Amino acid sequence: MSNNIKKYIEKTYNKSKDSFHNLVKENLKNDKKMFIVTANPETLMIGEDNKEFSNILLDEKTIIVPDGIGVLKGAKMLGIDMKETITGVELCTKLFEYLNEMKKSLCLFGAKKEVVEKLKEVINEKYPNINLLKIYDGYIEDKDKVMEEIVDLKPDVTLLALGIPKQEMLIYKYLDKFNKGIFVGVGGSFDVLSGTKKRAPKIFLKLKLEWLYRITREPKRLKRFYKSNIKYLKKINELKRENRG
Ligand code: UDP
Protein backbone atom coordinates (compact mmCIF):
# COMPACT_ATOMS: atom_id res chain seq x y z
CA MET A 1 0.00 0.00 0.00
CA SER A 2 1.46 3.34 -1.01
CA ASN A 3 1.25 6.50 0.99
CA ASN A 4 0.11 9.21 -1.31
CA ILE A 5 -3.10 10.33 0.41
CA LYS A 6 -1.53 13.61 1.46
CA LYS A 7 -0.24 14.24 -2.06
CA TYR A 8 -3.71 13.67 -3.52
CA ILE A 9 -5.27 16.04 -1.03
CA GLU A 10 -2.61 18.70 -1.57
CA LYS A 11 -3.29 18.49 -5.27
CA THR A 12 -7.08 18.74 -4.92
CA TYR A 13 -8.77 21.94 -6.06
CA ASN A 14 -9.15 24.08 -2.96
CA LYS A 15 -10.89 27.27 -4.04
CA SER A 16 -14.60 27.95 -4.20
CA LYS A 17 -17.15 26.05 -6.22
CA ASP A 18 -17.94 29.20 -8.20
CA SER A 19 -14.33 29.73 -9.17
CA PHE A 20 -14.08 26.12 -10.31
CA HIS A 21 -17.26 26.36 -12.35
CA ASN A 22 -15.90 29.56 -13.94
CA LEU A 23 -12.63 27.82 -14.81
CA VAL A 24 -14.58 25.02 -16.48
CA LYS A 25 -16.64 27.57 -18.41
CA GLU A 26 -13.52 29.39 -19.63
CA ASN A 27 -11.88 26.15 -20.73
CA LEU A 28 -15.02 25.09 -22.52
CA LYS A 29 -15.18 28.43 -24.32
CA ASN A 30 -11.52 28.20 -25.35
CA ASP A 31 -11.57 24.49 -26.31
CA LYS A 32 -9.03 23.77 -23.63
CA LYS A 33 -8.76 20.11 -22.71
CA MET A 34 -9.57 19.20 -19.14
CA PHE A 35 -9.82 15.96 -17.17
CA ILE A 36 -11.69 16.16 -13.88
CA VAL A 37 -11.83 13.52 -11.16
CA THR A 38 -14.63 14.08 -8.65
CA ALA A 39 -13.12 12.50 -5.57
CA ASN A 40 -14.46 11.10 -2.34
CA PRO A 41 -12.41 9.20 0.25
CA GLU A 42 -13.07 5.97 -1.62
CA THR A 43 -11.48 7.43 -4.75
CA LEU A 44 -8.33 8.36 -2.84
CA MET A 45 -8.17 4.97 -1.13
CA ILE A 46 -8.34 3.21 -4.50
CA GLY A 47 -5.25 5.21 -5.39
CA GLU A 48 -3.52 3.72 -2.37
CA ASP A 49 -4.11 0.17 -3.64
CA ASN A 50 -3.86 0.63 -7.37
CA LYS A 51 -0.64 2.00 -8.82
CA GLU A 52 -2.10 2.81 -12.20
CA PHE A 53 -4.94 4.79 -10.66
CA SER A 54 -2.49 6.50 -8.33
CA ASN A 55 -0.46 7.70 -11.31
CA ILE A 56 -3.64 9.07 -12.86
CA LEU A 57 -4.46 11.02 -9.70
CA LEU A 58 -0.94 12.40 -9.46
CA ASP A 59 -0.61 13.34 -13.14
CA GLU A 60 -0.57 17.10 -13.57
CA LYS A 61 -3.14 16.80 -16.37
CA THR A 62 -5.64 15.48 -13.82
CA ILE A 63 -7.69 17.94 -11.79
CA ILE A 64 -9.12 16.45 -8.61
CA VAL A 65 -12.11 18.16 -7.04
CA PRO A 66 -13.49 17.35 -3.57
CA ASP A 67 -16.83 15.68 -4.28
CA GLY A 68 -17.23 14.15 -0.83
CA ILE A 69 -17.17 15.88 2.53
CA GLY A 70 -14.58 13.34 3.69
CA VAL A 71 -11.97 14.85 1.39
CA LEU A 72 -12.61 18.27 2.90
CA LYS A 73 -12.46 16.82 6.43
CA GLY A 74 -9.18 15.06 5.65
CA ALA A 75 -7.71 18.30 4.33
CA LYS A 76 -8.76 20.16 7.48
CA MET A 77 -7.23 17.49 9.70
CA LEU A 78 -3.94 17.80 7.82
CA GLY A 79 -4.00 21.58 7.99
CA ILE A 80 -4.52 21.91 4.24
CA ASP A 81 -6.72 24.78 3.19
CA MET A 82 -9.79 23.66 1.21
CA LYS A 83 -12.87 25.77 0.69
CA GLU A 84 -15.86 23.53 -0.09
CA THR A 85 -17.12 20.44 -1.85
CA ILE A 86 -17.73 20.48 -5.60
CA THR A 87 -20.04 17.60 -6.43
CA GLY A 88 -20.30 15.71 -9.68
CA VAL A 89 -24.05 16.30 -9.92
CA GLU A 90 -23.63 20.08 -9.57
CA LEU A 91 -20.76 20.09 -12.03
CA CYS A 92 -22.87 18.20 -14.59
CA THR A 93 -25.72 20.67 -14.18
CA LYS A 94 -23.35 23.61 -14.73
CA LEU A 95 -21.83 21.90 -17.76
CA PHE A 96 -25.31 21.42 -19.25
CA GLU A 97 -26.05 25.14 -18.73
CA TYR A 98 -22.78 26.23 -20.36
CA LEU A 99 -23.15 23.80 -23.26
CA ASN A 100 -26.65 25.06 -23.86
CA GLU A 101 -25.52 28.70 -23.78
CA MET A 102 -22.60 28.05 -26.13
CA LYS A 103 -24.51 25.56 -28.32
CA LYS A 104 -21.75 23.01 -27.91
CA SER A 105 -21.70 19.22 -28.07
CA LEU A 106 -21.94 16.41 -25.56
CA CYS A 107 -21.47 12.64 -25.29
CA LEU A 108 -22.78 10.48 -22.47
CA PHE A 109 -21.33 7.08 -21.64
CA GLY A 110 -22.52 5.08 -18.68
CA ALA A 111 -25.34 3.82 -16.45
CA LYS A 112 -28.12 1.44 -17.43
CA LYS A 113 -29.66 1.81 -20.87
CA GLU A 114 -32.98 3.12 -19.59
CA VAL A 115 -31.21 5.59 -17.30
CA VAL A 116 -29.04 7.18 -19.99
CA GLU A 117 -32.02 7.25 -22.37
CA LYS A 118 -34.08 9.05 -19.75
CA LEU A 119 -31.25 11.50 -19.22
CA LYS A 120 -31.19 12.17 -22.96
CA GLU A 121 -34.89 13.09 -22.81
CA VAL A 122 -34.30 15.38 -19.83
CA ILE A 123 -31.42 17.14 -21.64
CA ASN A 124 -33.33 17.54 -24.89
CA GLU A 125 -36.20 19.10 -23.04
CA LYS A 126 -34.33 21.34 -20.59
CA TYR A 127 -31.29 22.25 -22.67
CA PRO A 128 -32.50 22.25 -26.28
CA ASN A 129 -29.37 23.94 -27.65
CA ILE A 130 -27.03 21.18 -26.54
CA ASN A 131 -25.84 19.10 -29.46
CA LEU A 132 -26.13 15.67 -27.84
CA LEU A 133 -23.98 13.69 -30.27
CA LYS A 134 -24.45 10.21 -28.89
CA ILE A 135 -25.29 8.23 -25.78
CA TYR A 136 -23.88 4.85 -24.78
CA ASP A 137 -25.02 2.78 -21.83
CA GLY A 138 -22.38 1.57 -19.42
CA TYR A 139 -22.98 -2.13 -19.93
CA ILE A 140 -21.69 -2.32 -23.50
CA GLU A 141 -19.01 -5.01 -23.51
CA ASP A 142 -16.44 -3.35 -25.75
CA LYS A 143 -15.76 -0.07 -23.95
CA ASP A 144 -12.62 0.65 -25.98
CA LYS A 145 -14.68 0.65 -29.15
CA VAL A 146 -17.01 3.21 -27.58
CA MET A 147 -14.05 5.42 -26.65
CA GLU A 148 -12.67 5.18 -30.18
CA GLU A 149 -16.03 6.30 -31.52
CA ILE A 150 -16.07 9.22 -29.09
CA VAL A 151 -12.57 10.22 -30.28
CA ASP A 152 -14.03 10.51 -33.79
CA LEU A 153 -17.07 12.47 -32.58
CA LYS A 154 -14.85 15.16 -30.94
CA PRO A 155 -17.39 16.27 -28.32
CA ASP A 156 -16.89 19.42 -26.27
CA VAL A 157 -17.88 17.53 -23.12
CA THR A 158 -17.82 13.79 -22.41
CA LEU A 159 -19.28 12.40 -19.20
CA LEU A 160 -18.47 8.85 -18.13
CA ALA A 161 -20.65 7.22 -15.48
CA LEU A 162 -19.15 3.76 -15.04
CA GLY A 163 -18.05 3.97 -11.41
CA ILE A 164 -14.57 4.57 -10.04
CA PRO A 165 -11.90 3.70 -11.11
CA LYS A 166 -13.17 2.30 -14.43
CA GLN A 167 -14.38 5.65 -15.75
CA GLU A 168 -11.15 7.50 -14.93
CA MET A 169 -8.89 4.76 -16.32
CA LEU A 170 -10.80 4.76 -19.58
CA ILE A 171 -10.70 8.55 -19.94
CA TYR A 172 -6.99 8.62 -19.16
CA LYS A 173 -6.21 5.91 -21.68
CA TYR A 174 -7.72 7.96 -24.51
CA LEU A 175 -7.01 11.49 -23.31
CA ASP A 176 -4.05 12.08 -25.63
CA LYS A 177 -6.16 11.17 -28.64
CA PHE A 178 -8.41 14.18 -28.11
CA ASN A 179 -7.41 17.71 -29.11
CA LYS A 180 -10.13 19.31 -27.03
CA GLY A 181 -12.90 18.41 -24.64
CA ILE A 182 -13.82 18.33 -21.00
CA PHE A 183 -13.88 14.82 -19.55
CA VAL A 184 -15.43 13.95 -16.22
CA GLY A 185 -16.00 10.68 -14.40
CA VAL A 186 -19.34 11.26 -12.73
CA GLY A 187 -20.14 7.94 -10.97
CA GLY A 188 -23.78 7.64 -10.10
CA SER A 189 -24.72 11.12 -11.36
CA PHE A 190 -26.71 9.91 -14.39
CA ASP A 191 -29.02 8.04 -12.03
CA VAL A 192 -29.69 11.28 -10.15
CA LEU A 193 -29.80 13.66 -13.15
CA SER A 194 -32.22 11.41 -15.06
CA GLY A 195 -34.56 11.45 -12.08
CA THR A 196 -34.15 7.68 -11.66
CA LYS A 197 -32.60 8.03 -8.23
CA LYS A 198 -33.47 10.86 -5.90
CA ARG A 199 -30.77 12.99 -4.41
CA ALA A 200 -30.91 13.03 -0.61
CA PRO A 201 -33.56 15.28 0.96
CA LYS A 202 -32.37 18.86 1.55
CA ILE A 203 -31.92 18.34 5.26
CA PHE A 204 -29.33 15.59 4.61
CA LEU A 205 -27.53 17.84 2.13
CA LYS A 206 -27.56 20.70 4.59
CA LEU A 207 -26.13 18.57 7.35
CA LYS A 208 -23.63 17.16 4.84
CA LEU A 209 -24.97 13.67 5.43
CA GLU A 210 -25.75 12.65 1.87
CA TRP A 211 -23.46 9.63 2.33
CA LEU A 212 -25.63 8.49 5.25
CA TYR A 213 -28.78 8.81 3.17
CA ARG A 214 -27.22 6.74 0.40
CA ILE A 215 -26.31 3.99 2.85
CA THR A 216 -29.85 3.84 4.24
CA ARG A 217 -31.23 3.54 0.69
CA GLU A 218 -28.64 1.01 -0.45
CA PRO A 219 -27.38 -1.00 2.52
CA LYS A 220 -24.88 -2.82 0.30
CA ARG A 221 -22.95 0.44 0.36
CA LEU A 222 -22.19 -0.01 4.04
CA LYS A 223 -19.37 -2.48 3.42
CA ARG A 224 -17.92 -0.25 0.73
CA PHE A 225 -18.25 2.74 3.02
CA TYR A 226 -16.52 0.94 5.85
CA LYS A 227 -13.73 -0.35 3.68
CA SER A 228 -12.89 3.03 2.25
CA ASN A 229 -13.91 5.68 4.76
CA ILE A 230 -12.84 4.06 8.01
CA LYS A 231 -9.48 3.12 6.56
CA TYR A 232 -9.18 6.61 5.13
CA LEU A 233 -9.78 8.25 8.50
CA LYS A 234 -7.26 5.93 10.11
CA LYS A 235 -4.73 6.92 7.50
CA ILE A 236 -5.41 10.64 7.93
CA ASN A 237 -5.01 10.28 11.69
CA GLU A 238 -1.67 8.56 11.22
CA LEU A 239 -0.52 11.35 8.93
CA LYS A 240 -1.73 13.93 11.42
CA ARG A 241 0.34 12.30 14.17
CA GLU A 242 3.38 12.21 11.88
CA ASN A 243 2.87 15.90 11.15
CA ARG A 244 2.86 16.68 14.83
CA GLY A 245 5.81 14.49 15.61
N1 UDP B 1 -22.13 1.30 -14.15
C1 UDP B 1 -22.02 1.10 -15.52
N2 UDP B 1 -21.35 0.01 -15.97
C2 UDP B 1 -20.78 -0.90 -15.14
C3 UDP B 1 -20.89 -0.69 -13.74
C4 UDP B 1 -21.56 0.43 -13.28
O1 UDP B 1 -22.50 1.91 -16.30
O2 UDP B 1 -20.20 -1.87 -15.62
C5 UDP B 1 -22.85 2.50 -13.68
C6 UDP B 1 -23.97 2.26 -12.73
O3 UDP B 1 -25.15 1.96 -13.45
C7 UDP B 1 -24.07 3.59 -12.02
C8 UDP B 1 -22.61 4.08 -12.03
O4 UDP B 1 -21.94 3.28 -12.99
O5 UDP B 1 -24.85 4.48 -12.75
C9 UDP B 1 -21.87 3.95 -10.72
O6 UDP B 1 -22.67 4.29 -9.71
P1 UDP B 1 -22.20 4.40 -8.21
O7 UDP B 1 -23.33 5.01 -7.47
O8 UDP B 1 -21.62 3.11 -7.76
O9 UDP B 1 -21.06 5.50 -8.39
P2 UDP B 1 -19.84 5.89 -7.49
O10 UDP B 1 -20.27 5.71 -6.07
O11 UDP B 1 -18.77 4.95 -7.95
O12 UDP B 1 -19.58 7.30 -7.87
Side-chain angles (χ1 to χ4, degrees), residues 40 42 110-112 137-139 143 161-164 166-167 186-188 191 197 214 221 224:
N40 50 45
E42 191 185 359
K112 293 194 186 122
D137 71 75
Y139 295 87
K143 298 197 166 49
L162 304 166
I164 26 166
K166 219 189 288 175
Q167 55 197 21
V186 295
D191 299 281
K197 233 188 236 175
R214 292 182 81 182
R221 284 185 178 272
R224 222 173 102 171

Coordinates of all heavy atoms in Angstrom, one line a residue, residues 40 42 110-112 137-139 143 161-164 166-167 186-188 191 197 214 221 224, ligand 1:
N40 N -14.0 11.3 -3.7 CA -14.5 11.1 -2.3 C -13.4 10.2 -1.7 O -12.4 9.8 -2.4 CB -15.9 10.5 -2.3 CG -16.0 9.3 -3.1 OD1 -15.1 8.4 -3.1 ND2 -17.1 9.2 -3.9
E42 N -13.2 7.3 -0.9 CA -13.1 6.0 -1.6 C -12.1 6.1 -2.8 O -11.3 5.3 -3.1 CB -14.4 5.5 -2.1 CG -14.4 4.0 -2.5 CD -15.7 3.5 -3.1 OE1 -16.7 4.3 -3.1 OE2 -15.7 2.4 -3.5
G110 N -22.4 5.7 -20.0 CA -22.5 5.1 -18.7 C -23.9 4.9 -18.2 O -24.9 5.3 -18.8
A111 N -24.1 4.2 -17.1 CA -25.3 3.8 -16.5 C -26.2 2.8 -17.3 O -25.8 2.5 -18.4 CB -26.1 5.1 -16.1
K112 N -27.3 2.4 -16.7 CA -28.1 1.4 -17.4 C -28.8 2.1 -18.6 O -29.0 3.3 -18.6 CB -29.2 0.9 -16.5 CG -28.7 0.1 -15.3 CD -29.8 -0.6 -14.7 CE -29.3 -1.3 -13.4 NZ -30.0 -0.9 -12.2
D137 N -24.8 3.2 -23.2 CA -25.0 2.8 -21.8 C -23.7 2.2 -21.3 O -22.8 1.8 -22.1 CB -26.2 1.8 -21.7 CG -25.9 0.5 -22.4 OD1 -25.1 -0.3 -21.8 OD2 -26.4 0.2 -23.5
G138 N -23.6 2.0 -20.0 CA -22.4 1.6 -19.4 C -22.2 0.1 -19.4 O -21.3 -0.4 -18.7
Y139 N -23.1 -0.7 -20.0 CA -23.0 -2.1 -19.9 C -22.6 -2.7 -21.3 O -22.7 -3.9 -21.5 CB -24.3 -2.7 -19.3 CG -24.4 -2.3 -17.9 CD1 -25.0 -1.0 -17.6 CD2 -23.8 -3.0 -16.8 CE1 -25.1 -0.6 -16.3 CE2 -23.9 -2.5 -15.5 CZ -24.5 -1.3 -15.3 OH -24.5 -0.8 -14.0
K143 N -15.8 -1.5 -24.3 CA -15.8 -0.1 -23.9 C -14.7 0.7 -24.7 O -14.8 1.9 -24.9 CB -15.5 0.0 -22.4 CG -16.7 -0.6 -21.7 CD -16.8 -0.2 -20.3 CE -18.1 -0.6 -19.6 NZ -18.6 -2.0 -19.8
A161 N -20.1 7.7 -16.7 CA -20.6 7.2 -15.5 C -20.6 5.7 -15.4 O -21.6 5.0 -15.6 CB -22.1 7.7 -15.4
L162 N -19.4 5.2 -15.1 CA -19.2 3.8 -15.0 C -18.7 3.3 -13.7 O -18.4 2.2 -13.4 CB -18.1 3.4 -16.1 CG -18.3 3.7 -17.5 CD1 -17.0 3.6 -18.3 CD2 -19.4 2.9 -18.1
G163 N -18.6 4.3 -12.7 CA -18.1 4.0 -11.4 C -16.5 4.2 -11.4 O -15.9 4.1 -12.4
I164 N -16.0 4.4 -10.2 CA -14.6 4.6 -10.0 C -13.9 3.2 -9.8 O -14.6 2.3 -9.2 CB -14.2 5.4 -8.8 CG1 -15.3 5.4 -7.8 CG2 -13.8 6.8 -9.1 CD1 -14.9 5.9 -6.4
K166 N -13.0 2.7 -13.0 CA -13.2 2.3 -14.4 C -13.3 3.5 -15.3 O -12.6 3.7 -16.3 CB -14.4 1.4 -14.6 CG -14.2 0.3 -15.6 CD -15.5 -0.4 -15.9 CE -16.1 -1.3 -14.7 NZ -17.4 -1.9 -15.0
Q167 N -14.1 4.5 -14.9 CA -14.4 5.7 -15.8 C -13.1 6.5 -15.9 O -12.8 6.9 -17.0 CB -15.5 6.5 -15.2 CG -15.3 6.9 -13.7 CD -16.5 7.3 -12.9 OE1 -17.7 7.0 -13.3 NE2 -16.3 8.1 -11.9
V186 N -18.3 10.7 -13.6 CA -19.3 11.3 -12.7 C -20.1 10.2 -11.9 O -21.1 10.5 -11.3 CB -20.3 12.1 -13.5 CG1 -19.7 13.4 -14.1 CG2 -21.0 11.3 -14.6
G187 N -19.6 9.0 -11.9 CA -20.1 7.9 -11.0 C -21.6 7.8 -11.1 O -22.1 7.6 -12.3
G188 N -22.3 7.9 -10.1 CA -23.8 7.6 -10.1 C -24.6 8.8 -10.5 O -25.8 8.8 -10.4
D191 N -27.8 8.6 -12.7 CA -29.0 8.0 -12.0 C -29.8 9.2 -11.4 O -31.0 9.2 -11.4 CB -28.6 7.0 -11.0 CG -27.9 5.8 -11.6 OD1 -28.6 5.0 -12.1 OD2 -26.6 5.8 -11.6
K197 N -32.9 8.1 -9.7 CA -32.6 8.0 -8.2 C -32.7 9.4 -7.6 O -32.2 10.4 -8.2 CB -31.2 7.5 -8.1 CG -31.0 6.3 -7.2 CD -29.6 6.0 -6.9 CE -29.2 4.6 -7.3 NZ -27.8 4.4 -7.2
R214 N -27.5 7.8 1.4 CA -27.2 6.7 0.4 C -27.1 5.4 1.0 O -27.5 4.4 0.5 CB -26.0 7.1 -0.4 CG -26.2 8.4 -1.3 CD -25.0 8.7 -2.1 NE -25.0 7.9 -3.3 CZ -24.0 8.0 -4.2 NH1 -23.0 8.9 -4.0 NH2 -24.0 7.3 -5.3
R221 N -24.0 -0.6 0.3 CA -23.0 0.4 0.4 C -22.2 0.5 1.7 O -21.1 1.0 1.8 CB -23.5 1.9 0.1 CG -23.9 2.1 -1.3 CD -24.3 3.5 -1.5 NE -24.6 3.8 -2.9 CZ -23.7 4.1 -3.8 NH1 -22.5 4.3 -3.5 NH2 -24.0 4.3 -5.1
R224 N -18.8 -1.1 1.5 CA -17.9 -0.2 0.7 C -17.5 1.0 1.5 O -16.3 1.4 1.5 CB -18.8 0.2 -0.5 CG -18.0 0.2 -1.8 CD -19.0 0.5 -2.9 NE -18.8 1.9 -3.3 CZ -19.4 2.4 -4.4 NH1 -20.2 1.7 -5.1 NH2 -19.2 3.6 -4.7
Ligands
UDP1 N1 -22.1 1.3 -14.1 C1 -22.0 1.1 -15.5 N2 -21.4 0.0 -16.0 C2 -20.8 -0.9 -15.1 C3 -20.9 -0.7 -13.7 C4 -21.6 0.4 -13.3 O1 -22.5 1.9 -16.3 O2 -20.2 -1.9 -15.6 C5 -22.9 2.5 -13.7 C6 -24.0 2.3 -12.7 O3 -25.1 2.0 -13.4 C7 -24.1 3.6 -12.0 C8 -22.6 4.1 -12.0 O4 -21.9 3.3 -13.0 O5 -24.9 4.5 -12.8 C9 -21.9 3.9 -10.7 O6 -22.7 4.3 -9.7 P1 -22.2 4.4 -8.2 O7 -23.3 5.0 -7.5 O8 -21.6 3.1 -7.8 O9 -21.1 5.5 -8.4 P2 -19.8 5.9 -7.5 O10 -20.3 5.7 -6.1 O11 -18.8 5.0 -7.9 O12 -19.6 7.3 -7.9

